Amino acid sequence: MEAIWIYQFRLIVIGDSTVGKSCLLRRFTDGRFTDVSDPTVGVDFFARLVEIEPGKRIKLQLWDTAGQERFRSITRSYYRNSVGGLLVFDITNRRSFEHVRHWLEEAKMHVQPFQIIFLLVGHKSDLASQRKVSREEAEKLAAVSGMKYIETSAKDATNVEESFTILTREIYGLLKKGDIGIQEGWEGVKSGFVPNVVHSSEEAVKPGRKCLC
Amino acid sequence: MENTGTTEVSDHKEIRQEDRSISDETDTGRDQPHGVELTPRSDMAKQDANSDKTVVSEPELTESTSGDSAGERREAVSMTRKRPESKAPTQPVGTEQQLLGEAEKESSSQAAGSWGYWGNWGKSLLSTATATVASVGHGISQAIEKAETSLGIPSPTEVSAEVKLFDGKGAEFDEAESSPKAQSESSSPTSGAFGMFSTITSAVQSTGITVLSGGLDALEFIGKKTMDVLAEGDPGFKKTKGLMNRNTTLSQALREAKEREELLVADQVSEDTEKKAHYGMLFDEFQGLSHLEALEILSNESEGKVKSVLHALSGQDVENLKEELEAIKEAFSLVEFDEEEEEEDNGGDGSEFVKELCELLSELNIATTSDKLSKARKNAHDRITEASNVLSAQPEESEPEKGQGPRDEAKSGDLNKVQKYSVENIHTSAIQSLAELTARSIEQFHKVAELILHSQDPDVEALDRAKTLSKVTVVLCKEVASLSKQFTSCLTALGATEKVEVLNPLITGVFLEASNSATYIQDAFQLLVPVLQVSQIQSRSNTTTR
């Protein structure tokens, strides 16, 4: 794995049990899809680099949380140190969509004093025939809560790359604007290392580093 | 209050102080001839006299000649070094300089013409590897407890105790003292894991010094890189220093180390071999850091819970609970490496390890498997097999084309491999395997913590789980030791024709990372204490409400 990246973002992936969070991550980081997988215990980890602009890579550190209720208290501790998250529901599972609000509330409650940028993900888009949640209502909910919305499928690899790229770009944009900064004792955004060559020519990339608000 | 280990250590310290005054004056201990049947006590006195000698008698020389250069070098070390070194209290710096100075002196006195000798140290080190790693690890777990009781403020005696821990021999003696069994063993060179140490101090001591000056010799040739490895030649020392200063967590320390490496790698992108063999970065790639951080979060939260529960109780309840919690904590200090044969002759494919691990994990009665650890072990085994296949396929220069076996068509491929398979490759494989196994061990502890905190009905007592987990820790650390041994065997075999200054730092590197690995595993294990205490509290309240 290429070791050079300009930032590291920590993203958390949340949503009801069995909506396919781990599969989504496995597809994204590993390029593979497995039909059956054990439920996640507590939290698991993935990592991948994303190139947002030519030569500018961001390392995503992905915290894959358990959807099961019994691990909820563990998961709560992890919001605080995440800069962004994927809030995943299953488009064939109405209930998982209805729980989106709860997830958001919980996240808001535990992320303070920081902020967290979510992307709403309607997963399992390959099962369109069994769809229980229309794209319109999902988009509406996303808009109301200040999120973007995307539909993905880990099975046929639809929009998997896109979903992570969209979220990463959004965070990167906020970082460039100075809305988000690197802070001591916060793991959400970390500054990476740029080889000397790149360093001198791309001074502009590094404003976030100085922004220790 | 802590456990026997604690008292042992402080006990030892006092003796040590006495010895210091003796040794300063007369050096009585050192005059004992080697090989004489010594009681552990007098062995120890001798040991202490020796280590005192090492540190105490040198400072004038160091201060005047190498104070500055040692300082500079240490900066270089912190630049290049992978191993965590938390911002240390200031006291040990002096000691470190002294050590460096001492080492420097040592090397200069040995320098020219002694390569033949150093050519051997790798091999001799090899034979003592397992026990060294094991005992270093053990020393550290005791050091942790010591650090906990000392509230993070090292007294001068503690600082000197750190020096004693240097190269792990201090631990050896704590061991010998604390268990009567070990005591009897230490007088007989053949029995037990510490048998090889039991003629005792001379062997251990010389190994330590050999490591140090072997590396330092090489330093003359290859520069800082070795120094960096070298400065870490004293895991006990550094580690204790880190733990004394308890406000940095293990994951923080490791993260800093990894970041230093990344910085380093970013500076020298071109050298890929460099990149591959960075333990810290590999450890992170295997998600070891993340699991460690998550485990720390759980541990801290649990600690808070335990405190608040204790706070809410009163009278006899507090006392009872405290006792129960203390018992659990005790179980965590029982990590001892079996005195039985350290040399495992199971061919080293790790099947024994996997079997043992599975059994222990099933005793915990939580839904966790050893799959990932088994896989890590298998990967390591595959790397070793690959390396040794190359070795056996390597044509002997003296007898070409003889007895190459049935796989004739595969031969040319193998020969190609030989070209590619350098000692650096094996070194990289070793570091990779150690990083992977360690990361998976920490992941395992993390999963165990999550499951213990959230398993509905604990039908296994927290105390029993603590005991089982401490066995797991032993199994893991043993495996780390065994792996490092196998890899260094490969290194020594394949590197027979290499120059010592190439080979030695590689071997040292493997041993050091192995010993670091054992330390991380044990530190992670200690993070489970509050988790099991919370589980104890939970099961208590369950039984009372029923």
Side-chain angles (χ1 to χ4, degrees):
Chain A
M1 174 160 138
E2 188 59 73
I4 296 145
W5 36 270
I6 50 172
Y7 292 108
Q8 172 181 292
F9 294 166
R10 181 175 294 182
L11 307 180
I12 189 169
V13 182
I14 54 172
D16 275 13
S17 186
T18 73
V19 297
K21 298 180 290 297
S22 301
C23 284
L24 191 65
L25 283 166
R26 221 166 283 139
R27 169 63 86 183
F28 178 62
T29 56
D30 230 15
R32 284 186 295 140
F33 176 77
T34 40
D35 247 321
V36 271
S37 64
D38 290 335
T40 305
V41 169
V43 62
D44 263 319
F45 304 99
F46 298 86
R48 215 194 100 172
L49 287 173
V50 169
E51 191 162 276
I52 41 155
E53 284 167 31
K56 286 179 194 166
R57 276 181 291 260
I58 289 179
K59 181 177 175 182
L60 300 182
Q61 197 187 56
L62 303 155
W63 289 50
D64 177 25
T65 65
Q68 289 176 346
E69 185 65 38
R70 67 180 177 131
F71 291 117
R72 204 59 59 82
S73 69
I74 292 182
T75 311
R76 282 187 199 115
S77 331
Y78 303 141
Y79 289 114
R80 201 188 149 273
N81 273 311
S82 307
V83 65
L86 265 64
L87 207 178
V88 188
F89 71 92
D90 173 357
I91 60 159
T92 69
N93 177 346
R94 183 84 205 163
R95 187 167 275 260
S96 73
F97 175 68
E98 283 160 2
H99 287 160
V100 165
R101 277 175 196 281
H102 299 291
W103 283 106
L104 271 180
E105 276 162 28
E106 187 175 83
K108 290 249 164 65
M109 214 158 68
H110 290 93
V111 75
Q112 277 160 13
F114 304 98
Q115 59 165 326
I116 186 166
I117 295 108
F118 275 113
L119 174 70
L120 186 63
V121 177
H123 196 41
K124 306 193 185 175
S125 64
D126 54 294
L127 302 175
S129 59
Q130 301 164 48
R131 184 189 276 275
K132 298 278 169 13
V133 181
S134 75
R135 179 184 279 272
E136 291 69 35
E137 55 183 331
E139 272 170 353
K140 208 172 131 198
L141 175 66
V144 167
S145 328
M147 297 183 283
K148 289 182 176 154
Y149 176 66
I150 190 167
E151 291 192 348
T152 59
S153 163
K155 191 166 187 175
D156 54 27
T158 310
N159 280 344
V160 175
E161 290 287 323
E162 288 79 356
S163 58
F164 286 92
T165 318
I166 287 170
L167 183 59
T168 308
R169 275 184 209 283
E170 193 175 347
I171 295 167
Y172 183 64
L174 290 170
L175 194 65
K176 276 217 282 204
K177 265 170 50 191
D179 288 357
I180 301 175
I182 296 165
Q183 292 177 53
E184 192 72 28
W186 182 59
E187 302 292 330
V189 180
K190 291 268 167 190
S191 169
F193 300 108
V194 188
N196 287 334
V197 223
V198 188
H199 228 288
S200 45
S201 59
E202 310 231 354
E203 217 59 67
V205 192
K206 308 239 90 190
R209 199 168 217 180
K210 282 152 212 151
C211 176
L212 293 165
C213 14
Chain B
M1 153 218 160
E2 293 288 341
N3 56 38
T4 49
T6 315
T7 47
E8 233 43 80
V9 170
S10 49
D11 211 23
H12 193 165
K13 237 181 290 164
E14 273 162 41
I15 292 158
R16 211 166 161 281
Q17 291 254 298
E18 288 160 27
D19 279 333
R20 176 182 301 202
S21 56
I22 298 169
S23 66
D24 279 347
E25 307 231 353
T26 61
D27 253 351
T28 24
R30 285 171 54 90
D31 293 333
Q32 300 259 18
H34 294 328
V36 172
E37 278 254 312
L38 295 164
T39 69
R41 240 331 130 118
S42 63
D43 254 353
M44 197 177 76
K46 175 170 162 260
Q47 168 69 33
D48 284 335
N50 272 342
S51 50
D52 274 343
K53 175 85 175 151
T54 312
V55 179
V56 176
S57 59
E58 298 309 330
E60 324 81 17
L61 184 142
T62 355
E63 234 94 297
S64 57
T65 61
S66 66
D68 279 350
S69 64
E72 276 164 29
R73 200 155 297 159
R74 259 182 310 104
E75 256 179 52
V77 167
S78 64
M79 274 295 294
T80 55
R81 181 48 202 168
K82 44 199 125 179
R83 189 165 186 288
E85 183 193 352
S86 43
K87 269 126 218 155
T90 46
Q91 294 100 312
V93 174
T95 347
E96 198 176 353
Q97 284 184 353
Q98 285 163 13
L99 282 169
L100 283 174
E102 160 69 11
E104 219 161 58
K105 187 186 158 232
E106 185 79 29
S107 74
S108 60
S109 72
Q110 302 272 9
S114 59
W115 284 107
Y117 176 57
W118 297 128
N120 280 331
W121 72 261
K123 278 173 199 155
S124 69
L125 185 55
L126 201 61
S127 62
T128 54
T130 317
T132 306
V133 173
S135 63
V136 167
H138 182 64
I140 279 149
S141 72
Q142 287 179 325
I144 293 166
E145 279 125 29
K146 184 173 56 138
E148 275 171 0
T149 47
S150 70
L151 295 167
I153 307 150
S155 69
T157 45
E158 272 163 334
V159 173
S160 59
E162 287 171 23
V163 179
K164 176 176 61 77
L165 276 169
F166 165 72
D167 87 18
K169 51 201 178 209
E172 216 55 67
F173 288 95
D174 292 340
E175 183 66 41
E177 247 203 329
S178 58
S179 103
K181 198 168 158 204
Q183 218 162 44
S184 63
E185 274 169 4
S186 62
S187 58
S188 137
T190 47
S191 67
F194 302 118
M196 62 183 68
F197 284 104
S198 47
T199 5
I200 223 166
T201 50
S202 56
V204 180
Q205 181 101 8
S206 62
T207 310
I209 289 174
T210 315
V211 173
L212 199 61
S213 25
L216 265 171
D217 264 0
L219 171 68
E220 312 276 331
F221 294 85
I222 61 164
K224 301 188 269 195
K225 180 122 203 325
T226 314
M227 195 53 225
D228 151 38
V229 172
L230 244 194
E232 303 297 332
D234 50 353
F237 177 59
K238 277 283 164 58
K239 197 63 207 172
T240 316
K241 216 166 68 181
L243 286 162
M244 293 267 178
N245 187 14
R246 253 282 133 117
N247 39 23
T248 39
T249 60
L250 179 60
S251 71
Q252 250 175 328
L254 271 162
R255 189 171 305 119
E256 279 165 24
K258 185 205 72 175
E259 281 164 8
R260 274 199 298 277
E261 277 173 28
E262 274 164 352
L263 186 62
L264 185 72
V265 169
D267 279 347
Q268 27 166 271
V269 213
S270 51
E271 296 179 47
D272 5 86
T273 44
E274 279 298 309
K275 189 169 94 192
K276 279 181 209 145
H278 282 295
Y279 182 92
M281 285 172 63
L282 288 164
F283 182 74
D284 183 46
E285 264 173 50
F286 291 115
Q287 304 301 336
L289 267 183
S290 303
H291 281 288
L292 190 56
E293 187 188 332
L295 176 57
E296 272 167 355
I297 293 175
L298 286 181
S299 182
N300 291 338
E301 285 178 352
S302 301
E303 206 174 336
K305 266 185 217 161
V306 171
K307 277 194 188 127
S308 67
V309 168
L310 280 174
H311 196 71
L313 290 174
S314 59
Q316 192 55 39
D317 286 345
V318 182
E319 292 312 311
N320 289 347
L321 182 59
K322 269 188 180 165
E323 229 166 79
E324 288 171 29
L325 299 184
E326 197 52 42
I328 289 172
K329 195 166 182 184
E330 292 275 299
F332 277 79
S333 59
L334 291 180
V335 184
E336 266 176 47
F337 291 88
D338 292 14
E339 281 97 48
E340 52 184 76
E341 35 32 289
E342 206 72 45
E343 311 291 318
E344 270 142 61
D345 299 313
N346 56 16
D349 68 349
S351 54
E352 194 59 32
F353 164 72
V354 171
K355 197 176 133 236
E356 232 176 308
L357 197 64
C358 281
E359 278 167 16
L360 287 171
L361 288 177
S362 71
E363 274 176 37
L364 292 174
N365 201 16
I366 47 176
T368 185
T369 66
S370 58
D371 293 354
K372 284 190 169 174
L373 265 168
S374 308
K375 185 148 179 289
R377 185 60 184 83
K378 192 181 165 295
N379 290 344
H381 176 60
D382 291 349
R383 290 182 193 124
I384 292 170
T385 318
E386 196 189 338
S388 25
N389 284 346
V390 171
L391 263 180
S392 56
Q394 198 166 27
E396 301 283 321
E397 273 129 323
S398 50
E399 37 171 344
E401 298 298 312
K402 197 185 149 198
Q404 283 291 339
R407 296 168 41 205
D408 270 341
E409 78 279 19
K411 205 182 75 184
S412 58
D414 279 354
L415 282 173
N416 266 339
K417 260 196 202 159
V418 173
Q419 312 283 312
K420 278 189 287 174
Y421 228 86
S422 62
V423 279
E424 278 84 8
N425 290 132
I426 299 183
H427 174 257
T428 304
S429 296
I431 301 299
Q432 234 167 15
S433 302
L434 288 171
E436 184 177 4
L437 192 75
T438 309
R440 295 298 176 225
S441 301
I442 284 159
E443 174 172 359
Q444 187 83 65
F445 282 143
H446 174 216
K447 291 294 138 191
V448 164
E450 290 177 327
L451 284 163
I452 283 180
L453 287 174
H454 295 274
S455 57
Q456 266 76 358
D457 54 316
D459 41 358
V460 182
E461 294 272 328
L463 184 57
D464 292 331
R465 281 183 173 159
K467 285 175 185 160
T468 307
L469 284 167
S470 110
K471 285 182 204 153
V472 170
T473 309
V474 174
V475 169
L476 292 171
C477 291
K478 265 182 163 177
E479 205 55 25
V480 165
S482 145
L483 269 187
S484 67
K485 222 180 91 181
Q486 291 181 45
F487 274 114
T488 47
S489 302
C490 286
L491 272 177
T492 332
L494 188 73
T497 55
E498 289 285 340
K499 291 198 183 93
V500 275
E501 61 264 37
V502 175
L503 186 60
N504 286 359
L506 295 179
I507 292 179
T508 315
V510 173
F511 279 135
L512 292 180
E513 294 306 1
S515 133
N516 289 343
S517 297
T519 309
Y520 302 147
I521 291 171
Q522 297 195 20
D523 286 355
F525 167 63
Q526 291 299 323
L527 290 173
L528 292 172
V529 174
V531 171
L532 280 152
Q533 289 181 332
V534 163
S535 136
Q536 172 71 13
I537 291 170
Q538 279 170 355
S539 67
R540 244 173 153 250
S541 60
N542 279 351
T543 46
T544 47
T545 49
R546 258 172 221 167

